[in-house]
Amino acid sequence: MELVNVFIKAAFIENLVLSYFLGMCSFLAVSKTLKTAFGLGLAVIFVLVVTMPINWLISTYLLDEGGVLGMDLTFLRFILFIAVIASMVQLVEMVIEKYSPSLYNSLGIFLPLITVNCAILGGSLFMVAREYTFAESIAFGAGGGFGWFLAIVALAAIREKIKYSNVPAPLRGLGMAFLLTGLMGMAFLSLLGIDPASF
Amino acid sequence: MAETTIEKKEPIFAFGKKERKLLTDPLNDNNPITVQVLGICSALAVTTLLFPSIIISIAVIFVCAFSNLFTSLLRKSIPKQVRMIVQLVIIATLVTVVELTLKALDYPTYKQLSVFIGLIITNCIVMGRLEAFAMANSPWKSFLDGVGNGVGYGVILIAVAFFREVFGKGTFLAGTPFEVKIIGPNSEYLINTMADGSWFSWYQNNNLMVLPAAAMFLIAIMIWIHRAWNPKLVDIS
Amino acid sequence: MRSNNYVIGFVVTMTVVVALVLSLMATGLKPIHDRNEAIFNKKAVLAAIESELGENVKADKLPDGEVLSIFDEKIVQTVIDIKGNPVSSEEVEARGYKGGLAEHVDMKKEKKKPAEDRIFPVFTYDNGGESIYIVSIRGNGLWDEIWGNVALKDDFATIVGASFDHQGETPGLGAEIKDNPAFKRQFQGKSIYDADGNYTSVVVRKGGARNTRYEVDGISGATVTADGVSDMLHTGIRYYQPYFKTLKKS
């Protein structure tokens, strides 16, 4: 039940992009069309679910004072996390290319972008700060990724429609995207009322 | 564009018109947030208060400037195959330096910023400037470009934080010795009642301002004003 | 393209240089980091007895030296188990808390264990002959944990002060338990027993306190957080009751 709780919280209550602004760059840049947004969203879920447990293992068994090395190596956390993310993205890219060219064609171009997506590193850093367990870290990765996916797909769909509206010239594009994100964030706030005890 | 400047024989630390442009360009025509749309991630979440925003701006300026400098110094020896990783390691190292320093100097702020210091690593401006500028320009110019972009970013961040803190909490620079209560009921007020204590005690703190959505609205308004005033930036697509 | 040897050499050199620089810096600054962390935790404890430290004292603004001297001269740290028996510092260390004092006990880790295995920190403050007992409590807010310290007079019924903190309550609503000094101040002088002597702890009442003896006003728009605070106080203080009983007897 704790896991469902973590998932719901990561996806709706503390949506990575809507309440922490993580992954905003690609969120705004790739949300012009629904199809690409869908692909990027899937890729983010995938990479989050893969990297979070690996970073959990590294952080618990390698960097922590109680780990196998018996030394406090937390100062290497940033470097190792980002290295894991970069290499996992590369690995995932190669695996997908080899075994599923069709998936690669739809996700391929977004994978390198994901390395510098704050949501991925942010997920790992939140996991350490909140002292999640191994299972919780996977639930958090899945929930966080799903929330991000939901947000970008929703924004892309709205942006596709708003193209035909008469928006004041200086607000066109970027300005409007910010306004929409803000409104979506407010809408998501209403989900705060979900009772965690009901899961 | 500045990115295409060709290297000539010039003094290492020149500070002429071109160099000044490197510093001022990111403040207006090429602002990292309102024009380049880079690096909005990572730091906006701390803009509910001014002081942490100033700290994180300083950190971004530092990381941006020095990662640009080091990348530029190494630009001829970095192997192409591992370029990304090398850049990320440089950035991550500098961010760790910032984290360790802040932890020693101001522990409460370090606690408050928690994960957001680490997230400077994936701040796209830093990475973006390394790719677009530092890999092709001399160290001194890259350093200036880094400072310029860091400042251009910090200005927006601090402006957002100013509005959010003043209208959301009624304070200015809360958490520092210079803390002032500007508007709204005194923070010592009893819950659900009003008592005066500052200049405009009738003002009720605007809770929208402390919500994340307010940062989005503020940036949208800034973009609006910026583009209305500088029409060549208007998005035509 | 460069040769593979060059690439490997470059990466290895860079790794060594970076690791060296960072580890030197981390070891060099470690004593300062540890001291800062200790002071930060101590200030959180002192926040519960701000009112006793002097007029308008804010625990988080106390100078570092003063925090340390208050802890050295006026505070005795005890760790107890669920039955109220003191736990030796060796045993606390054996449970993974380096230093073995009450201030080193991590309530977050303790909360994950079953209640009967937990240990609890107590800080006894010497207020000029009269003892004030500061106890740590931890519970759940809206979607994340909340925690705090409560200071009790030596009648083990009257609250001297309380302070709260949280992981992720909504800013402007639930987060007010930490940000709004008026919320904390309400707890001063409240009793954790009703007039008949039944244990009530302190209740945060939505819409305003009705029984001024043991109720305080809630925060509008933050019912779940307020209920969380009530729950946390109720269970948290109860864990210390056996210890209080042994103290009362002696």
Side-chain angles (χ1 to χ4, degrees):
Chain A
M1 290 307 96
E2 192 62 23
L3 294 182
V4 181
N5 205 332
V6 169
F7 180 91
I8 301 275
K9 192 174 102 183
F12 300 111
I13 313 299
E14 291 178 347
N15 189 294
L16 285 175
V17 64
L18 296 176
S19 54
Y20 291 114
F21 313 98
L22 298 182
M24 280 295 286
C25 314
S26 29
F27 181 74
L28 293 173
V30 190
S31 59
K32 281 183 184 137
T33 55
L34 191 53
K35 196 164 176 275
T36 48
F38 193 84
L40 182 68
L42 283 185
V44 166
I45 300 183
F46 194 68
V47 176
L48 259 177
V49 174
V50 175
T51 55
M52 295 270 294
I54 297 179
N55 279 344
W56 188 89
L57 292 172
I58 287 188
S59 156
T60 319
Y61 292 113
L62 205 63
L63 300 179
D64 207 61
E65 213 166 355
V68 279
L69 295 177
M71 276 183 289
D72 183 16
L73 293 175
T74 39
F75 60 89
L76 290 177
R77 185 189 295 147
F78 294 159
I79 295 184
L80 279 182
F81 277 12
I82 198 72
V84 164
I85 292 170
S87 41
M88 278 324 290
V89 168
Q90 200 104 63
L91 198 74
V92 165
E93 200 179 350
M94 288 191 298
V95 170
I96 296 184
E97 192 179 11
K98 185 132 196 269
Y99 293 104
S100 173
S102 62
L103 185 63
Y104 180 78
N105 285 338
S106 53
L107 284 188
I109 43 163
F110 303 116
L111 284 168
L113 252 180
I114 287 178
T115 311
V116 284
N117 188 320
C118 321
I120 312 288
L121 182 65
S124 289
L125 292 176
F126 271 125
M127 165 192 83
V128 174
R130 294 180 183 165
E131 298 172 30
Y132 282 138
T133 60
F134 185 72
E136 278 171 348
S137 75
I138 299 176
F140 182 78
F146 180 67
W148 204 92
F149 168 84
L150 214 60
I152 194 170
V153 169
L155 181 67
I158 301 174
R159 281 182 86 172
E160 276 195 357
K161 294 275 176 244
I162 219 144
K163 259 195 303 217
Y164 307 106
S165 312
N166 189 12
V167 176
L171 258 183
R172 250 171 234 163
L174 194 54
M176 216 47 211
F178 271 107
L179 274 184
L180 290 171
T181 316
L183 289 172
M184 272 165 59
M186 286 178 71
F188 266 65
L189 263 186
S190 58
L191 298 167
L192 263 177
I194 304 173
D195 183 5
S198 65
F199 300 110
Chain B
M1 286 288 274
E3 280 84 344
T4 53
T5 40
I6 304 153
E7 264 187 88
K8 277 176 261 153
K9 276 266 179 231
E10 6 182 1
I12 304 177
F13 293 112
F15 197 78
K17 209 172 170 190
K18 227 190 292 166
E19 281 76 14
R20 205 167 315 134
K21 199 163 159 42
L22 287 177
L23 279 178
T24 54
D25 211 35
L27 293 179
N28 182 13
D29 284 0
N30 220 351
N31 188 288
I33 292 187
T34 59
V35 182
Q36 301 179 49
V37 215
L38 288 179
I40 325 141
C41 2
S42 66
L44 271 187
V46 301
T47 53
T48 44
L49 289 175
L50 198 48
F51 182 64
S53 314
I54 294 174
I55 296 288
I56 214 143
S57 303
I58 295 171
V60 170
I61 295 170
F62 172 85
V63 173
C64 212
F66 283 91
S67 62
N68 256 7
L69 177 68
F70 289 128
T71 311
S72 175
L73 284 172
L74 291 172
R75 70 185 186 280
K76 285 175 187 138
S77 40
I78 296 179
K80 276 269 165 338
Q81 302 95 311
V82 290
R83 200 183 69 233
M84 277 272 273
I85 291 277
V86 171
Q87 289 170 350
L88 281 172
V89 168
I90 292 175
I91 299 170
T93 310
L94 286 165
V95 172
T96 314
V97 168
V98 167
E99 193 205 21
L100 292 172
T101 315
L102 184 65
K103 200 174 169 187
L105 290 180
D106 188 352
Y107 194 82
T109 310
Y110 161 79
K111 271 282 195 193
Q112 201 177 355
L113 292 175
S114 69
V115 304
F116 295 101
I117 308 169
L119 284 173
I120 296 175
I121 297 171
T122 44
N123 191 318
C124 328
I125 312 179
V126 184
M127 194 76 185
R129 290 328 285 171
L130 293 190
E131 272 295 288
F133 198 89
M135 288 303 281
N137 282 286
S138 69
W140 172 239
K141 272 192 190 155
S142 305
F143 182 79
L144 288 180
D145 180 78
V147 173
N149 275 283
V151 172
Y153 175 80
V155 165
I156 302 281
L157 204 65
I158 289 171
V160 171
F162 173 80
F163 286 111
R164 287 184 79 187
E165 182 175 343
V166 168
F167 293 106
K169 300 213 159 137
T171 54
F172 178 70
L173 281 174
T176 67
F178 312 103
E179 178 173 348
V180 192
K181 179 77 190 169
I182 301 186
I183 51 170
N186 193 298
S187 60
E188 305 277 308
Y189 71 106
L190 278 169
I191 293 154
N192 301 337
T193 61
M194 294 252 286
D196 41 53
S198 62
W199 301 344
F200 302 99
S201 52
W202 45 265
Y203 177 82
Q204 276 282 345
N205 286 340
N206 188 343
N207 268 349
L208 172 67
M209 281 296 178
V210 284
L211 296 177
M216 305 284 177
F217 297 144
L218 284 171
I219 291 190
I221 293 168
M222 281 176 196
I223 291 174
W224 193 351
I225 295 172
H226 189 192
R227 291 188 177 181
W229 168 62
N230 195 346
K232 70 176 175 222
L233 301 173
V234 169
D235 199 338
I236 341 151
S237 63
Chain C
M1 286 294 245
R2 314 236 189 191
S3 72
N4 276 344
N5 285 344
Y6 178 86
V7 174
I8 293 168
F10 187 91
V11 171
V12 168
T13 321
M14 189 181 67
T15 316
V16 170
V17 170
V18 162
L20 208 67
V21 169
L22 288 185
S23 58
L24 274 179
M25 197 168 167
T27 5
L29 291 173
K30 185 108 174 55
I32 307 178
H33 290 166
D34 289 347
R35 183 172 182 269
N36 283 348
E37 193 182 347
I39 287 171
F40 185 81
N41 293 338
K42 285 174 173 163
K43 279 181 177 170
V45 173
L46 291 184
I49 50 164
E50 266 174 359
S51 57
E52 300 302 307
L53 297 174
E55 196 104 338
N56 287 325
V57 170
K58 293 266 184 294
D60 54 342
K61 298 218 168 80
L62 280 175
D64 294 355
E66 206 176 324
V67 173
L68 293 175
S69 73
I70 292 175
F71 258 78
D72 281 347
E73 290 157 19
K74 291 189 171 169
I75 287 185
V76 180
Q77 305 192 22
T78 331
V79 181
I80 55 159
D81 61 15
I82 189 82
K83 297 199 181 83
N85 303 318
V87 179
S88 71
S89 73
E90 289 79 29
E91 203 179 317
V92 176
E93 275 205 43
R95 282 167 181 256
Y97 303 117
K98 230 162 116 189
L101 289 173
E103 62 175 279
H104 301 119
V105 174
D106 185 349
M107 290 294 281
K108 185 167 190 168
K109 285 192 188 133
E110 291 302 311
K111 187 170 165 266
K112 287 188 177 160
K113 298 177 189 166
E116 57 272 18
D117 292 341
R118 290 185 204 167
I119 52 174
F120 305 91
V122 183
F123 304 87
T124 315
Y125 174 73
D126 176 14
N127 193 19
E130 169 194 46
S131 293
I132 291 175
Y133 297 89
I134 307 165
V135 301
S136 300
I137 51 178
R138 199 172 183 100
N140 295 316
L142 180 52
W143 280 93
D144 234 317
E145 294 198 323
I146 51 177
W147 59 93
N149 290 294
V150 179
L152 288 162
K153 275 206 177 125
D154 55 4
D155 61 356
F156 305 109
T158 318
I159 288 180
V160 178
S163 70
F164 303 100
D165 204 342
H166 61 92
Q167 172 107 50
E169 300 307 304
T170 325
L173 300 174
E176 293 286 287
I177 60 167
K178 179 191 180 198
D179 299 340
N180 195 325
F183 179 74
K184 306 195 296 192
R185 226 182 13 240
Q186 298 183 91
F187 286 84
Q188 291 169 15
K190 297 287 169 195
S191 174
I192 56 169
Y193 294 97
D194 68 8
D196 302 329
N198 301 317
Y199 175 67
T200 52
S201 143
V202 177
V203 177
V204 183
R205 178 72 70 188
K206 185 182 173 183
R210 268 169 258 158
N211 187 326
T212 49
R213 188 183 163 92
Y214 60 86
E215 286 185 355
V216 296
D217 295 348
I219 296 157
S220 46
T223 318
V224 182
T225 311
D227 289 348
V229 173
S230 299
D231 270 358
M232 167 173 81
L233 287 163
H234 192 88
T235 40
I237 299 177
R238 206 175 46 198
Y239 289 135
Y240 288 92
Q241 295 288 11
Y243 176 65
F244 293 158
K245 269 188 197 125
T246 59
L247 284 179
K248 253 190 231 170
K249 267 184 221 154
S250 58

